[in-house]
Amino acid sequence: MSTVQVRVDRNSRTPLHVQLAQQLEAAIQGGELPVGSRLSNEVDLAEAYGLSRPTVRQAIARLVDQGLLVRKRGVGTQVVGNSGQVRRSLELTSLYDDLAAAHRKPETDVLRFGVAPATAEVATALQLEQGDRVLRLERLRRADGEPLALMRNWLPPDLLDTDPATLAERGLYALLRAEGVRLKVAHQTISALPATPEQARLLSEEPGVPLLATTRITYDDHGQPVEYGSHLFRASRYAFEHTLVHR
């Protein structure tokens, strides 16, 4: 039976079962839990990690839903998948922090950094006037050295005091929180767009390949928009997941 080392942060906003699932997934993707290996039972895992059995059960169920684990009668829980795809919950977290939590080694190339006039789209999102000054950020995010996402963000210019070097080493939301910004809620849309030649070059894809496109407006605890993001992800390497609840 296999047990890997896991460390959870009880002060994190990320639920414990999500943290556990992310680290087990990283162990599967990294080969520490190879295909065919069996996990220890829930009771032993809960004791080993200092977690409750329901927390462990939720984490295992999450990985079963992702197709990485399967439960077999008389055998237990077995590793059956290693897709290499990054899966991310629909939660108000940054990609950088999610990758770090999953031990996927995030790396960032800052492609553009500076103040620019707000377009009509950006102005509407941030409740500004068209042409108002905004801080524009454009980054290429890698996971384990492999291109994963092109990320463009616009913020009110006086909200964040940072520089390209710092932005390359930390997630945007962590920097905002360090400035005292309390992120509360976000509105996000998800669609698909064909890759332009330049986007394809940066993401190591072929021109015209469908990319997963998201736009997000994030609000603080006063209801003010603090960030507008427009991101492109490699659909072959990235997926969103969300649990639907009947009401």
Side-chain angles (χ1 to χ4, degrees):
M1 296 293 182
S2 299
T3 302
V4 297
Q5 185 174 1
V6 166
R7 293 181 179 178
V8 297
D9 181 0
R10 297 183 183 275
N11 295 319
S12 172
R13 297 187 181 189
T14 303
L16 293 177
H17 76 276
V18 175
Q19 293 185 50
L20 176 58
Q22 288 173 337
Q23 293 184 55
L24 291 176
E25 180 179 357
I28 294 171
Q29 307 292 8
E32 189 177 355
L33 286 174
V35 173
S37 61
R38 288 185 294 166
L39 294 186
S40 300
N41 62 52
E42 291 177 0
V43 174
D44 290 343
L45 289 175
E47 183 177 353
Y49 300 144
L51 299 170
S52 69
R53 187 173 178 182
T55 295
V56 172
R57 185 180 300 116
Q58 283 182 285
I60 297 300
R62 186 184 181 97
L63 297 179
V64 169
D65 290 342
Q66 293 178 16
L68 297 176
L69 297 177
V70 66
R71 291 189 177 101
K72 295 182 178 180
R73 185 181 299 273
V75 175
T77 304
Q78 191 170 20
V79 177
V80 294
N82 186 342
S83 66
Q85 187 182 60
V86 175
R87 294 175 180 264
R88 184 182 182 191
S89 299
L90 286 173
E91 299 170 353
L92 189 50
T93 58
S94 72
L95 175 59
Y96 188 99
D97 293 338
D98 288 345
L99 290 173
H103 302 289
R104 292 299 301 271
K105 191 183 178 183
E107 297 174 327
T108 305
D109 297 338
V110 179
L111 306 178
R112 183 173 297 183
F113 179 98
V115 174
T119 64
E121 178 184 5
V122 172
T124 298
L126 295 179
Q127 299 179 11
L128 301 172
E129 296 294 330
Q130 185 174 349
D132 283 355
R133 296 167 64 251
V134 292
L135 178 61
R136 178 178 178 177
L137 315 173
E138 188 169 345
R139 296 159 291 161
L140 174 64
R141 179 64 44 76
R142 304 175 189 273
D144 298 329
E146 184 178 34
L148 181 64
L150 278 173
M151 312 175 71
R152 294 183 299 163
N153 300 81
W154 294 265
L155 302 87
D158 301 324
L159 191 67
L160 182 64
D161 182 16
T162 189
D163 54 71
T166 302
L167 190 63
E169 295 297 327
R170 299 184 64 188
L172 178 59
Y173 284 2
L175 293 174
L176 286 171
R177 291 188 176 105
E179 294 283 347
V181 178
R182 300 178 65 180
L183 307 176
K184 182 66 174 181
V185 68
H187 175 71
Q188 180 166 274
T189 62
I190 303 174
S191 59
L193 290 174
T196 67
E198 176 63 10
Q199 293 163 353
R201 181 185 67 82
L202 290 169
L203 291 173
S204 299
E205 292 282 3
E206 294 294 327
V209 166
L211 300 175
L212 186 62
T214 70
T215 60
R216 176 187 284 190
I217 305 173
T218 305
Y219 300 85
D220 65 13
D221 56 347
H222 298 293
Q224 295 297 310
V226 295
E227 175 246 357
Y228 175 57
S230 178
H231 302 161
L232 294 170
F233 301 87
R234 298 176 67 186
S236 61
R237 297 291 185 272
Y238 193 86
F240 283 105
E241 58 183 26
H242 185 56
T243 300
L244 302 178
V245 179
H246 175 71
R247 293 184 178 178

